[in-house]
Amino acid sequence: MTKPRLLDRLPVVHQLRQAVGLQRGMLVAGLVLTGAFVVLALLAPVLAPYGYSQLADDAGNFGAQQPPSAEHWLGTTVGGYDVLSRVIWGARTALLVIIVAVLLSVFVGILLGLVSGYLGGWVDRVLVVVADAIYAFPTLLLAIVAAIAISGGQSGMWSGVFAAAISITVVFIPQYFRVVRAEVVRVKSEAFIESAQVIGASTWRIMFRHVLRNSTRTLPVIVTLNAAEAVLTLAALGFLGLGIEPTSAAEWGFDLNKSISDVAAGIWWTAVPPGVAIILAVLGITLIGESMNDLADPRLRARRRGKGTPADAVAQSEPVAREEMGEVQ
Amino acid sequence: MSTTPDVAAAAVSEPPPALAPQAARGGGFGRYVLVRLLLMIPTVLILVTLVFFLIRLTGDPITAALGGRLPADQLAERIHEAGYDRPLLVQYLEYLGQILRFDFGSTITDNQPVMTVLAEYGAATLELVTYALVVAFLIGIPFGLVAAANRDRWPDAALRVGAIFFYATPVFFAGLVAKLVFSVWLGWFPVSGRAGVRTELALGRDGGTGIYLIDAIRSGNSDYVWDVLSHAVLPAMTLGLLTAGIFLRLVRTNVIGTHNMPYIDAARSRGVSESRLIRTHAYRPALIPIITVVGLQIALMLGGAVLTETTFEWQGLGFQLAKYLQARDFVAVQGIVALIAIIVAVANFIVDIIAALIDPRVRY
C-alpha cells in the first residue's frame, strides 16, 4: 500500500483523475467556467471598460437605456450605467459573498456539528430540533429576515457583502451541522475512538484530531453546491431590493430588478447580460459539485467499460456490493 | 405486482427527517400522527421566535417604516401607542399570545390585518404553486425515468445538463426571459398579472374562491377560462421548471440506486426485460422519497413564488411580501413570514403522514 501523493488527494485533482466520459466532461466544463468567473472577479478593474458607478466619461453622460454600441458593447441601464462594466464588477461582489458565506458557515457548522454529535445530551437534542426547524423553512425568506436584521435592508459595499454573506450563512449552517453531526455520530462508535479514550486522550483532542478528520469527507461537495446557492441567494436578495446600493458595488440581482420594466418595453440588453452571468457562474460551480458528488458515490460513478453487453450490468453491480458492505476506502 | 422490496432497499430511501426516537418504538399509526403533530409545535415556535428577534434587531418597526416622514414627537407617540417602547420580552410574549389566536398583527403602511392580506392574496399563491407542482411532476418524473433508463448515454447526459442548467437559472431571470420572448416579442401570452382587467372585475363581482381558474370555470364563460389560463402559463412554467429539475435528479438517482438492489438482480435473472425493470420494479420504491421531498419543495416553491410573483406582478402573497419589503413595513414582513412558517410546517406534517401511509418501511 503506497500512500498517494498529496496532489492526488486534493479534492478536485483527485476527482479529475478518477472521472471518465460525461462526468469528466462536466467536471472540466465546470472548472473552466468557474476559472473564468474567478479571473473576471480578480481582474475586474483591468477588464471592465468603465467603473461600476460611472455615469459619464470625457465624451459626456452615457445616457439611459442606450442600445449596444461601440462605446458600450452591452448598452446602458435605466440608471445610466454601462451594462458590461457592471456585469464584470458584479463577479467580484459575488465572489466576495461566496468566500465570506462559505467560510463562515463551514466554520460555525462544523463546530456545532462536532460538539453536538460527539458530546450528545440535551445540547444535541436542542440543536437538532433547531436545525431541523430552520432546514424546513424557505431559505429565501430566512435570508430576507436575516438581511433585514443585519443591515435594515440597505447598505454599502463591505457592509452589503457581509450582510448578504451572513444572511446566506444563517441558511447554510443547518446543512453543515446535519452532515457533520451525522458523520460524527457514525465515527464516534468506531474502535479507534474507543482506543483513544482508553489511552486517556482528552475529549477535545479526540474531537478535533480523531473525529473531525474522519467526518469531513462529504464537505467539498456541499461547499461547492452551497457556493452556487450563495450566488443565487445574493441575486434573489438584490432582486427583492435588499441588496447593495448601485453606487457601492455592482450586483447582478439589483440590475435585474431594475430591468423588469425594461423587459416589458422590449429592451433586452439590461436584463440578459447580468442574468447570463449568474447562470454561467452558478452552472460552473454546480457542475463541479455535481460531478464530485457522483464520483463520491460508488453507485453513481461511471466506469470505464467496453461495448455494452448484458454481462456488463452484472460485472458492474459486483464491486458496488463489496464497497457498500465494507466501506473500503 | 410484487413491489415488496427487501430490507436492503430501505437504504435507498432517506429516513424520515427528525423522527423522534420514541416514535420509532412502535405504538401504532395514531400515535405516529400524534407525535408528528406535537413535533410541529417546537418547529413553529423556533421559527416564529427567530423571525421575531431577528426583525427586532433593527429597532422598532414604526421608525423603520415611517422614520423621516413623521415629526419626532408624532413618531414617539405612535411607538408608544403600538407598545414598542415596552421591554422586548413583554412584546415577545404578547406576540406569541397573538399568534395562538391566529392574529399576526397589522401592517404599518396601510393598516391591514396580516390575516386579511393572507385571505385576499393566499389563494393566488396557492393557485400558482399548484400549477407549478403539476408542471414539475409532469416534466420531472418521466424525464427522470428516461435519464435513469439511459444512464450515461446521451439522453441522460442531455437531461442532466439540462436539469443543472435550470437549477442554475434564477427563477426571476427565467421569468424575465420568458416574458421578453413569449410576451413582448412573440405576443403569445399576456405580459403580467393573473387575468385581464375585465375578467378580474367579472370574477371579483361574485365573490368566488379567489382561485381564478375555479371561478372562471364556474362562471361558465370560456373567454374567462382562456384568459386566466393564458396568464398562468408563463409563471407556472417558470416556477415549475425550477422544481422539475430537482425532481428529475431525485428520480434518476433513486431509480439508479434501487436498480442496483439484489431484488432487481433477482428479477433480471428471471428474465424480466430491462425496460420493465425500470418501469415497474425500480420505479415504485424510488418514488417514495419524492413524496418526502415534495414537502421540502413546498418550502422552496414558496420562496420561488415570491420571486416569480414579483417578476410577473402576480398578485399573491409573495408579491405583497416584496411590496412590504420595499416599503420597509417589517410588521407585515414578520407576519407574512410567520404565517408561511406555519403553512410549511403543516404541509410537511401532511406529507409525512402520506409517506407513512404509502411506505410500509416508515416505522411508526
Side-chain angles (χ1 to χ4, degrees), chain A residues 132 136 148-149 152 294 299, chain B residues 18 54 58 151 160 249 328 344:
Chain A
D132 278 348
I148 293 175
D294 285 5
R299 288 179 305 185
Chain B
L54 277 176
T58 39
R151 183 186 169 185
R160 293 189 60 209
R249 278 158 50 173
R328 301 170 63 75
V344 169

Side-chain angles (χ1 to χ4, degrees), chain B residues 75-158:
Chain B
L75 206 61
E77 196 180 314
R78 286 203 52 175
I79 291 173
H80 183 72
E81 264 174 34
Y84 290 126
D85 51 355
R86 291 172 301 159
L88 198 58
L89 202 64
V90 175
Q91 293 182 42
Y92 170 63
L93 291 176
E94 192 189 64
Y95 181 63
L96 285 188
Q98 282 180 357
I99 286 186
L100 275 182
R101 283 177 274 122
F102 286 98
D103 171 9
F104 290 87
S106 292
T107 66
I108 294 177
T109 39
D110 49 7
N111 201 25
Q112 273 192 332
V114 172
M115 281 310 273
T116 313
V117 177
L118 172 80
E120 206 169 322
Y121 298 104
T125 301
L126 179 71
E127 192 175 4
L128 176 63
V129 169
T130 310
Y131 291 151
L133 261 182
V134 170
V135 171
F137 272 122
L138 287 183
I139 296 177
I141 293 178
F143 281 107
L145 286 176
V146 170
N150 294 288
R151 183 186 169 185
D152 294 331
R153 271 166 283 174
W154 72 263
D156 181 31

Side-chain angles (χ1 to χ4, degrees), chain A residues 22-23 26 125-126 128-130 132-142 144-154 170 178 225 228-229 232 235-237 239-242 252-253 256-257 259-260 262-268 271-276 278-280 282-283 286-287 290-291 294 297-303 305 313-314 316-317 320 324, chain B residues 11-12 14 17-19 21-22 39 42-44 46-47 50-55 57-58 151-153 156-158 160-161 164-165 167-173 176-177 179-180 184-185 191 249 252-253 256-258 260-261 265 268 274 295-296 298-300 302-304 306-307 310-311 313 318 321-322 325-326 328 330 333 336-338 340-342 344 348:
Chain A
L22 170 69
Q23 280 170 359
M26 277 168 58
R125 292 227 159 187
V126 170
V128 167
V129 171
V130 172
D132 278 348
I134 296 179
Y135 189 72
F137 195 59
T139 53
L140 179 63
L141 294 183
L142 192 61
I144 289 173
V145 173
I148 293 175
I150 293 159
S151 63
Q154 270 138 20
V170 175
R178 284 164 68 113
L225 293 180
E229 219 178 303
L232 289 175
L237 286 178
F239 185 73
L240 290 174
L242 286 168
W252 295 330
L256 278 172
N257 175 282
S259 72
I260 299 182
D262 296 351
V263 163
I267 296 174
W268 59 269
V272 173
V276 170
I278 298 175
I279 295 181
L280 291 180
V282 177
L283 197 61
T286 311
L287 282 173
E290 273 286 299
S291 38
D294 285 5
D297 187 342
R299 288 179 305 185
L300 297 176
R301 190 188 307 146
R303 292 178 182 77
R305 57 178 173 191
V314 182
Q316 230 181 324
S317 66
V320 175
E324 270 182 340
Chain B
V12 180
E14 290 176 19
L19 193 64
Q22 59 266 41
L39 278 173
T43 308
V44 170
I46 288 164
L47 289 174
L50 193 73
V51 169
F52 178 87
F53 284 106
L54 277 176
I55 286 194
L57 276 180
T58 39
R151 183 186 169 185
D152 294 331
R153 271 166 283 174
D156 181 31
R160 293 189 60 209
V161 173
I164 295 175
F165 186 74
Y167 166 78
T169 310
V171 64
F172 47 92
F173 179 60
L176 282 179
V177 171
K179 212 159 121 171
L180 186 67
V184 179
W185 286 347
V191 176
R249 278 158 50 173
R252 176 185 179 275
T253 311
I256 289 177
T258 324
N260 282 328
M261 289 297 151
D265 283 344
R268 186 180 286 122
E274 282 294 320
L296 286 174
I298 289 169
L300 182 93
L302 283 173
V306 176
L307 298 167
T310 310
T311 313
E313 286 158 52
L321 180 68
L325 270 176
Q326 300 280 356
R328 301 170 63 75
F330 295 151
V333 173
I336 294 176
V337 170
I340 292 180
I342 294 175
V344 169
N348 275 335

Side-chain angles (χ1 to χ4, degrees), chain B residues 213-276:
Chain B
L213 185 60
I214 296 179
D215 289 349
I217 291 172
R218 275 209 319 210
S219 76
N221 187 331
S222 63
D223 286 352
Y224 294 160
V225 178
W226 183 243
D227 186 47
V228 167
L229 281 179
S230 68
H231 276 84
V233 170
L234 290 184
M237 289 296 281
T238 305
L239 188 55
L241 282 177
L242 171 84
T243 319
I246 295 165
F247 283 165
L248 189 153
R249 278 158 50 173
L250 197 70
V251 170
R252 176 185 179 275
T253 311
N254 276 302
V255 169
I256 289 177
T258 324
H259 203 236
N260 282 328
M261 289 297 151
Y263 78 93
I264 296 288
D265 283 344
R268 186 180 286 122
S269 66
R270 288 198 304 271
V272 180
S273 75
E274 282 294 320
S275 66
R276 193 180 151 77

